[in-house]
Amino acid sequence: MVAVCNGSDSHFDVFPALNIVQRMSVPTPSSPAVLPLGELRGVGAERSAQLARLNIRTVDDLLLHRPRRYEDRRHFISIAEMQMNEAATARGKIIAAGLKRWRGGAKSVFEFILDDGSARLHCRWWNLPYMQNYFKVGDEILVYGKLNSLKPRTIDHPETEVVESLEALIHLNRIVPIYPLTEGLPQRWIRSLISRTVEQFESKIAEPHPGMMIAGLPGRAHAIRLLHCPEEMDDTEIARRRLALDELIDLQTTIQKRRKRLEANSRGLPCSGTNQLIRKFLAQLGFQLTEAQTKVLREIRADVGGAHPMRRLLQGDVGSGKTVVAASAALMALESGYDVALMAPTEILAEQHFKNFQNWFLSLGISVELLTGSTKTTGERAAKQDSLKLSAAPADKPTATLYVGTHALIENAFAPEKLGMVIIDEQHKFGVAQREKLLRKGIYPHLLVMTATPIPRTLGLTLYGDLDISVIDQLPAGRARIKTYVRAEEKLPKVWEFIREKLSEGRQAYVVYPRLEEADEKAGIKAVTKEFVKLKKIIAPYEIGLLHGKLRSSEKESVMSAFRANKIQMLLATSVIEVGIDVPNATVMLVENAEQFGLAQLHQLRGRIGRGAEDSFCILIASEKTDSASARLRVLEESRDGFRIAEEDLRLRGPGELIGQQQSGLPPFRFADLRKDRLLVEQARELVRENLKKNK
Ligand code: ADP
Ligand code: MG
């Protein structure tokens, strides 16, 4: 090991205010927080490269390198008490040591014998001859490991430490951190390096957020010490929470400052409108809004008449009636003379919205346009526009337009004249960047984003901290019940019998598979295209259709309209039908390989049924034999509460699964864990809010 030692640590003094602050983003090289590792004693080019593979490039990174677990090596037992296959620490004196070589020195074993008065212990290292340099007869040694033989008592490759003074031990006689490693980097080496680095830098670690503290949590410097040198096992969690708090405060600061900046720089476009079109629209709907819908509309109305642009997230379980709310919100902008863009994640959904809004709005004299990947071919689009303009916008009316579309709306070709409101349906399918891009097509238009994935509060505050949140927490009255059953694969024949029976009663069904083409026979995971061929025969004389993301949109559209018109009775699909589709006569859903889906996703899927007055049935086939898979699915049998289901998903599978990995915009936390840090998230939000108020 090269020990680069220039006699003093004085080269650190060129960074007088060494401010070891942790940041979400990589700090710029000019920041004193990023002292390069090469400056540390014992870290040369090779070690630096290895550490870089663990994303450790600076002293900061090193201090925040989180142990993957801890071992409590404080308790010694006598060698006589040591057991096979049970890790323990013993302490004794070396009474003999020697190296044996054979095959011309290619093979070797170094061995010493330790005696503690109760028994003798043989410690061996195979093919590591240099180990002989570290030990000599008479040394007092701590040994940690499991016996791999009893006669004689032997441990191969134990962890050891020579006892010079018990206090100074790093690897034994304490709660020992076990770090993530990379090839060529020994555990003991990084443990020593981190231990030395903590000693050297602890006093220089600054509080990154002075004044934002929670009672009961230590300062940052102390937390970093506890992370690497805990005195009790509980200390490790205290350290984690403290460091997590800093991450969450950083994130909340970004979020809240962004919101403040928006409010300082922008004025809300006046979109209170005249209320006339909305009144007409609601009168022609054929049903009363629920109380929850009305409440949300009031919130939206206050937003669009306010001083700043609306930034609102509307959460409502599947079927809770978000579309009508979106339509009313759109009308506020439209009747104030502004264009509105409504973006949906799939063509099927965009087209469905387009049809609905056409039905609703044409009679109100508002033109509705559709923009998707497939309407982009200019001829078709121009023709569509013309026909719409003809039928939809009489010359004497204000010509505000509602644009409905997919990602196509983000592209440059889409340039609305005066965009006053952006509505994003199924928001979790889009990234934050896409949302921003669409917003920039106007001058601070109002924003309403909608999601049917109930976001647990922890995640909501983290992800959508810069949005106001409205919840539709009530389904329209008279909704049919959805009964959900989790069944094992063996029950499939019975299930098909049941489905045929429902089809014979005139109902329709969805059948959902996790894969498109590639079935995984070994794991028993089915693919929709394969099953389609098989089921065609089984299900005759009923017609079946196939729907998945790879179809051309004209094909999708013709399958969907055939299903809507009941020309197809059973629709096989991948999870593309997850969002938005509305066919009230479809009352049965079968999901095969249900264990392959997240709970929240299954809940979404199941929202496709139960849309009419007939009772509906959702059957989840748990093909995986494990109990935990079916236990997880049973949450869906018991609950229709989307929030509860999402909490469960968050707990079991983490935030990435719930909201989509890259889309989320979540920073990669080292310490924060949204599965359990709900309280910390709330506290961080409050601390930042008060801090920003004070420092206005
Ligand atoms: P989601 O919130 O999942 O987007 P939708 O907006 O698609 O739900 O609404 C589901 C169905 O409920 C639609 O057919 C819609 O017309 C209907 N609906 C919406 N609001 C009401 C209401 N207040 N009373 C009765 N039916 C409603
Ligand atoms: Mg919807």
Side-chain angles (χ1 to χ4, degrees), residues 171-191:
H171 308 291
L172 290 171
N173 194 39
R174 65 165 181 133
I175 296 173
V176 175
I178 311 292
Y179 293 99
L181 295 176
T182 182
E183 207 186 320
L185 200 66
Q187 185 65 247
R188 289 172 68 98
W189 183 84
I190 194 168
R191 194 182 293 138

Side-chain angles (χ1 to χ4, degrees), residues 44-62:
E46 191 189 339
R47 290 295 191 214
S48 287
Q50 287 166 338
L51 289 167
R53 269 190 267 136
L54 292 168
N55 283 325
I56 302 175
R57 295 187 172 77
T58 64
V59 170
D60 260 14
D61 294 338
L62 189 63

Side-chain angles (χ1 to χ4, degrees), residues 449-590:
V449 303
M450 308 196 288
T451 181
T453 304
I455 311 285
R457 193 173 152 78
T458 325
L459 207 51
L461 294 181
T462 315
L463 275 177
Y464 302 120
D466 57 341
L467 300 177
D468 299 311
I469 298 183
S470 293
V471 182
I472 304 184
D473 50 7
Q474 179 184 28
L475 294 180
R479 276 294 153 79
R481 287 187 305 170
I482 300 178
K483 290 183 194 136
T484 301
Y485 305 94
V486 178
R487 290 289 177 266
E489 179 124 42
E490 300 87 81
K491 292 278 157 54
L492 261 179
K494 274 231 153 110
V495 170
W496 283 117
E497 222 171 90
F498 174 78
I499 291 177
R500 286 188 66 100
E501 190 185 307
K502 287 291 153 191
L503 297 183
S504 75
E505 290 168 13
R507 304 282 86 77
Q508 287 164 279
Y510 296 101
V511 186
V512 180
Y513 295 92
R515 298 276 178 88
L516 173 57
E517 280 158 349
E518 300 287 305
D520 183 342
E521 309 276 333
K522 240 196 280 156
I525 299 174
K526 296 182 181 174
V528 69
T529 44
K530 300 238 161 82
E531 299 305 309
F532 180 69
V533 179
K534 291 187 212 159
L535 285 173
K536 252 186 150 155
K537 294 185 201 116
I538 300 182
I539 218 71
Y542 302 106
E543 290 293 326
I544 75 177
L546 180 60
L547 186 70
H548 56 75
K550 278 208 181 152
L551 294 180
R552 262 178 293 142
S553 59
S554 55
E555 294 170 315
K556 281 186 209 161
E557 187 40 44
S558 74
V559 173
M560 271 320 292
S561 44
F563 191 62
R564 254 181 234 123
N566 201 358
K567 288 187 190 131
I568 288 174
Q569 285 74 45
M570 195 168 90
L571 188 61
L572 267 61
T574 54
S575 61
V576 291
I577 56 155
E578 177 187 343
V579 289
I581 288 171
D582 192 14
V583 180
N585 191 47
T587 59
V588 181
M589 173 171 287
L590 168 65

Side-chain angles (χ1 to χ4, degrees), residues 212 214 245 248-253 255-256 259 457-458 460-469 677-693:
M212 288 193 262
I214 293 174
L245 178 68
L248 294 167
I249 288 178
D250 272 347
L251 180 66
Q252 283 296 328
T253 305
I255 290 171
Q256 293 190 29
R259 179 72 188 243
R457 193 173 152 78
T458 325
L461 294 181
T462 315
L463 275 177
Y464 302 120
D466 57 341
L467 300 177
D468 299 311
I469 298 183
D677 286 338
R678 175 175 176 154
L679 185 63
L680 274 183
V681 170
E682 306 255 9
Q683 287 168 323
R685 190 165 93 123
E686 266 323 294
L687 287 172
V688 171
R689 190 184 284 171
E690 284 183 9
N691 187 262
L692 289 182
K693 228 187 279 165

Side-chain angles (χ1 to χ4, degrees), residues 316-330:
D317 221 334
V318 272
S320 61
K322 294 184 291 297
T323 318
V324 178
V325 171
S328 310

Side-chain angles (χ1 to χ4, degrees), residues 318-319 321-323 349 352-353 425-426 450 452 579-581 608 611:
V318 272
K322 294 184 291 297
T323 318
L349 192 52
Q352 184 178 289
H353 279 323
D425 195 14
E426 309 295 346
M450 308 196 288
V579 289
I581 288 171
R608 301 304 113 225
R611 301 197 144 228

